[in-house]
Amino acid sequence: MSKTVRIGCASAFWGDTCTAAAQLVHGGALDYLVFDYLAEVTLSILAGARLKDPKAGYATDFVEVLTPLLADIQRQGIRVISNAGGINPQACAAALQAACDNAQVPLKIAVLLGDDLHAQLKHLPEVTDMFTGAPLPAACVSANAYLGAPGISAALELGADIVITGRVVDSAVVSAALVHEFGWSWHDYDHLAQAALAGHIIECGAQCTGGNFTDWRDVPDYEHIGFPIVEVSADGQFTVNKVEGSGGLISELSVAEQLLYEIGDPRAYRLPDVICDFSQVKVQQQGKQCVHVHGARGVPPTDQYKVSATYLDGFRCTASCLLAGIDAVAKADRVSQAIINKTSELFSQRGWAPYTEVNIELLGSEATYGGRAQRQDCREVVIKWAVRHSSRQALTLFAREIAQAATGMAPGLAGIVGGRPTVYPLIRLFSFLIDKPKCAVTLDYQGRRHAVQLPAARPPLTPAAPIEPPKPQGRADASVPLVKLAVARSGDKGNHSNIGVIARDPEYLPWIAEVLTPEVIVDWMSHVLDPVYGRVERWYLPGTHSLNFVLENALGGGGIASLRIDPQGKAFAQQLLEIPIAVPQHIADSLT
């Protein structure tokens, strides 16, 4: 049989379950175990931790989860790759080395360096935000380039058993292993695109094995959900599977949802090592819990890295309280506004500036639906205040004054959830591009530094022209909600969100596309789009009979900068699935 490589992913984010790594090591028959920990805002949190403690700044979960598995990993010959290093990868490596020494398991650890550009920021000329054109803030908390796979692959060539990185693109932990195992050229862009796709499918852990799936009722055993494994062939094609007997579901639709998750233009998914075209990718069931994936194409990448910097922009405070009883929504509306009015007066009396931003959501009254909420009054809601101000002192006053509502305002207030709220620094994202040679990518391995040679640049190619979806044939004389015709998933990139919509049957796609135009999405999701800068783009993926929508400037700042209850747009797809789609009567009849 031709060689295949099995790679399992045990973490989708910092804070994911502690059970996945053991499940995969004990039952996955793996060649590689990978972990993904870094969201865009995670690095800023880690940077703050390192300021307090020079030994901090990495995902401590990685060391804790891996420690009891070290002997099994060595015995099975599993190699481990993770971006758990965060803002301090060498400290992460030192902690894991101590665990190996204590367990008397001599695994060789390599550390990839070069992504941290914080010290270089003041020497970079004319840096502007790649989305807004704004100048670089005066003081940044962190700045990290999204490195690619060559450095990780070089560490594997040197013989490392475990590779720890800082910021790399999420899929690089998989791509690097495949390039190393199959000896692919860094100019073999179709293979690199397939490798990136394999990494993209499993980088969010159980999201491709039934987690966050539209048809959640069909997914068994959340308690023991299986984490994903890709088994990749030398031609780049791969299957997605999981440990036998584990919970969850692997189907064409569950994998297709993850394919579209957090991407923009599917013909030009930009990574440091390749620009991928996922528009013709096909996802085909190959057994009860196994899906075959192929069809990604690639072209040369650009000569720049994306850099995500973070900076402080005042302070934020979030508070919640339960309000119950008759006319709960009306009472909550009055109480929430009264608190803001009163504290605004106190600010003015003290000569302080007004709130920079106020966001009030009455959870339980369909607040996330905006003007499309079906607000039938209920008997309990949670008031959620989120406020922003340039002064910590002002928000400390806000946090104190909320308590008066318990005895001095409407009846039924059951107390502040979690006690008096805390004031936190508000951290924003600043993204820009930098020429690759400005990042000195190196490996720290067994006491020596090794420079990483990046592949020679090739001239970039223009992405393929967009393809329009087919027009429907016949007359639409019935209407059904989108969820009857498609599954959907939404995610975030900075202040933008995407919604991927995958038809349950290719016959449905033309009717879905006829209704879901960018103009219709703007109208349906107007409550989340910025009134000035909000816009929507649409792309068609014929390989999966799907549409991808990008909602620009739709997250109120995104990440921890947003004051909303849904700062990452996770519920956007659920809202879109209710939109009515005009279809022929025979399709409507077949769905009942």
Side-chain angles (χ1 to χ4, degrees):
M1 293 180 64
S2 60
K3 175 182 177 180
T4 61
V5 177
R6 287 175 62 84
I7 304 174
C9 180
S11 175
F13 58 94
W14 188 20
D16 206 344
T17 177
C18 64
T19 64
Q23 177 199 92
L24 289 165
V25 168
H26 295 148
L30 300 180
D31 298 299
Y32 288 85
L33 178 66
V34 301
F35 298 77
D36 178 26
Y37 286 103
L38 301 182
E40 289 182 320
V41 296
T42 308
L43 286 170
S44 61
I45 297 170
L46 293 173
R50 190 175 65 172
L51 289 174
K52 298 176 183 177
D53 179 1
K55 295 182 180 180
Y58 63 90
T60 53
D61 297 16
F62 176 63
V63 179
E64 294 166 4
V65 166
L66 214 56
T67 296
L69 301 172
L70 292 172
D72 285 327
I73 286 169
Q74 183 193 40
R75 179 177 54 82
Q76 296 182 45
I78 298 172
R79 302 176 89 171
V80 179
I81 307 172
S82 175
N83 59 12
I87 205 80
N88 199 351
Q90 289 171 303
C92 181
L96 187 59
Q97 184 65 62
C100 289
D101 294 344
N102 187 56
Q104 297 184 327
V105 179
L107 294 172
K108 300 185 291 293
I109 302 172
V111 180
L112 181 65
L113 304 170
D115 65 294
D116 190 347
L117 303 178
H118 189 241
Q120 294 178 229
L121 285 179
K122 59 186 177 182
H123 304 298
L124 298 177
E126 299 182 12
V127 172
T128 57
D129 188 278
M130 60 188 293
F131 300 113
T132 68
L136 182 71
C140 289
V141 176
S142 65
N144 294 81
Y146 284 72
L147 301 183
I152 304 171
S153 186
L156 298 173
E157 290 287 338
L158 289 170
D161 301 304
I162 300 173
V163 185
I164 296 172
T165 79
R167 176 42 107 183
V168 295
V169 291
D170 297 345
S171 59
V173 295
V174 171
S175 296
L178 296 174
V179 170
H180 168 69
E181 291 289 335
F182 294 125
W184 292 335
S185 164
W186 292 107
H187 296 138
D188 188 350
Y189 298 114
D190 286 347
H191 280 158
L192 295 182
Q194 273 289 133
L197 178 57
H200 175 68
I201 293 295
I202 68 171
E203 70 192 25
C204 291
Q207 274 199 172
C208 72
T209 57
N212 202 14
F213 184 40
T214 299
D215 295 339
W216 56 272
R217 288 183 177 86
D218 297 338
V219 182
D221 198 7
Y222 278 157
E223 295 85 347
H224 307 100
I225 195 164
F227 270 62
I229 300 167
V230 286
E231 185 162 354
V232 190
S233 302
D235 62 1
Q237 298 188 44
F238 61 90
T239 59
V240 185
N241 55 81
K242 60 187 181 67
V243 172
E244 187 174 354
S246 61
L249 172 71
I250 297 180
S251 70
E252 293 178 5
L253 291 177
S254 71
V255 173
E257 279 195 359
Q258 181 59 28
L259 166 65
L260 270 66
Y261 184 64
E262 294 185 342
I263 69 170
D265 182 349
R267 302 162 303 124
Y269 184 62
R270 299 178 185 275
L271 297 172
D273 307 320
V274 60
I275 296 176
C276 305
D277 181 351
F278 293 157
S279 63
Q280 301 291 344
V281 167
K282 293 188 182 299
V283 179
Q284 298 167 318
Q285 201 75 38
Q286 195 178 76
K288 188 176 180 181
Q289 298 288 354
C290 182
V291 162
H292 182 253
V293 184
H294 64 99
R297 303 298 300 272
V299 298
T302 71
D303 58 358
Q304 293 181 308
Y305 289 126
K306 177 184 175 183
V307 181
S308 287
T310 57
Y311 64 98
L312 299 179
D313 187 21
F315 299 87
R316 63 175 293 162
C317 184
T318 301
S320 302
C321 67
L322 175 68
L323 202 151
I326 302 167
D327 295 328
V329 173
K331 288 189 295 185
D333 185 58
R334 183 174 176 189
V335 167
S336 59
Q337 196 56 57
I339 293 292
I340 297 300
N341 291 343
K342 179 176 182 180
T343 51
S344 294
E345 288 182 13
L346 293 173
F347 292 177
S348 179
Q349 291 168 10
R350 287 162 171 74
W352 298 342
Y355 287 108
T356 309
E357 185 180 357
V358 174
N359 185 270
I360 300 171
E361 295 170 290
L362 306 184
L363 310 182
S365 70
E366 301 190 3
T368 58
Y369 284 78
R372 296 190 182 276
Q374 299 171 2
R375 293 199 180 196
Q376 298 175 350
D377 197 21
C378 51
R379 291 179 294 178
E380 62 182 22
V381 293
V382 171
I383 305 173
K384 186 191 80 71
W385 294 271
V387 293
R388 184 161 66 94
H389 199 280
S390 58
S391 164
R392 180 188 291 273
Q393 188 178 17
L395 295 190
T396 301
L397 174 62
F398 160 80
R400 187 179 70 227
E401 284 297 319
I402 292 173
Q404 191 232 337
T407 56
M409 294 188 184
L413 194 144
I416 300 172
V417 178
R420 181 177 289 180
T422 302
V423 179
Y424 294 100
L426 187 140
I427 299 174
R428 290 196 181 276
L429 185 67
F430 183 95
S431 300
F432 63 96
L433 300 174
I434 187 172
D435 293 339
K436 288 178 179 177
K438 291 186 181 296
C439 295
V441 183
T442 59
L443 285 168
D444 187 342
Y445 181 63
Q446 295 192 318
R448 292 184 58 194
R449 287 289 178 96
H450 302 262
V452 175
Q453 187 70 35
L454 296 181
R458 293 278 181 93
L461 300 176
T462 304
I467 305 170
E468 288 300 315
K471 290 290 185 181
Q473 302 297 314
R475 190 178 73 170
D477 43 15
S479 178
V480 297
L482 176 61
V483 70
K484 295 286 188 180
L485 304 171
V487 299
R489 179 177 295 174
S490 50
D492 68 303
K493 281 294 181 186
N495 194 29
H496 308 322
S497 176
N498 91 297
I499 307 176
V501 177
I502 304 99
R504 297 180 184 275
D505 188 293
E507 180 187 7
Y508 304 157
L509 189 281
W511 302 100
I512 295 170
E514 186 74 5
V515 174
L516 296 187
T517 63
E519 294 75 20
V520 167
I521 303 299
V522 166
D523 178 66
W524 193 261
M525 303 299 294
S526 60
H527 58 289
V528 300
L529 287 165
D530 184 280
V532 177
Y533 301 107
R535 62 190 294 264
V536 173
E537 288 192 82
R538 183 183 82 169
W539 290 278
Y540 169 48
L541 293 81
T544 47
H545 315 291
S546 59
L547 301 170
N548 189 45
F549 299 91
V550 172
L551 286 65
E552 295 183 7
N553 302 299
L555 296 173
I560 58 175
S562 175
L563 301 186
R564 299 180 189 169
I565 191 65
D566 184 13
Q568 296 175 296
K570 299 297 186 183
F572 287 6
Q574 295 299 300
Q575 297 177 37
L576 187 61
L577 285 168
E578 297 184 41
I579 196 168
I581 304 295
V583 296
Q585 188 64 53
H586 76 271
I587 290 181
D589 291 343
S590 71
L591 299 171
T592 57

